[in-house]
Amino acid sequence: MPAKTHNADPISMSRVPWAETQETKKTRTITLDPAPATLRVEFGGEVIAESDDALILREGSLPPVAYIPCADVRWQVVQETDRQTFCPYKGTARYWSITAGGRTAENAVWAYPQAIDAVAEIQDCVAFYWDRVDAWHLDGKELSKPTF
């Protein structure tokens, strides 16, 4: 699948209810690409998610974020929390904590279950905070930083 580029500027985002600020007036480019290989996330000595269908979201100068399909997550170790945040480029995020191996990572997982149209592909996916899980593997090789 080729990369999909979305210019998330206030003009194309006019259907999203948010107040414009100097930050949101800047143009932000968002791209979504398929992960180049199988992606695995581990915590507490357990595999929490593993997918051949992950998407890599690149947003401006931020580090890339892997979005893993919900079907590829071990939901028995993930618990929803009350935390919610809003991003004018993606929508309202919900959060989950992970409990595995006798440990808990609070609000380590997030998703945009009703993502705005510009990034609708991430709607049925979740993302993990890089530093709240123990290990990331791409094609069986451990990653030391988000270099998808």
Side-chain angles (χ1 to χ4, degrees):
M1 169 179 10
K4 295 182 180 181
T5 302
H6 307 281
N7 285 322
D9 60 41
I11 295 168
S12 65
M13 302 284 290
S14 61
R15 66 189 173 287
V16 179
W18 51 281
E20 283 190 28
T21 65
Q22 284 304 104
E23 174 61 25
T24 58
K25 287 181 183 178
K26 297 177 185 174
T27 298
R28 183 171 293 193
T29 299
I30 296 174
T31 61
L32 283 167
D33 298 297
T38 301
L39 187 62
R40 186 172 75 239
V41 179
E42 298 175 358
F43 178 77
E46 299 183 33
V47 174
I48 306 305
E50 187 166 13
S51 182
D52 293 325
D53 298 314
L55 295 170
I56 307 302
L57 183 141
R58 290 178 176 79
E59 179 179 356
S61 61
L62 298 172
V65 176
Y67 281 85
I68 297 175
C70 292
D72 296 332
V73 176
R74 289 191 52 233
W75 288 101
Q76 60 269 35
V77 297
V78 179
Q79 309 81 37
E80 189 169 6
T81 70
D82 292 333
R83 180 171 171 75
Q84 290 190 0
T85 58
F86 180 76
C87 170
Y89 304 103
K90 295 181 283 298
T92 299
R94 293 174 38 204
Y95 291 78
W96 292 262
S97 294
I98 306 168
T99 301
R103 297 172 42 221
T104 299
E106 296 290 332
N107 296 309
V109 184
W110 77 92
Y112 294 94
Q114 295 178 328
I116 63 169
D117 291 345
V119 292
E121 295 94 335
I122 66 170
Q123 195 161 273
D124 295 319
C125 299
V126 299
F128 294 82
Y129 279 105
W130 184 265
D131 60 349
R132 295 186 193 176
V133 297
D134 295 335
W136 290 80
H137 297 269
L138 184 64
D139 199 22
K141 297 174 187 152
E142 188 165 359
L143 298 174
S144 60
K145 59 184 178 179
T147 53
F148 305 111

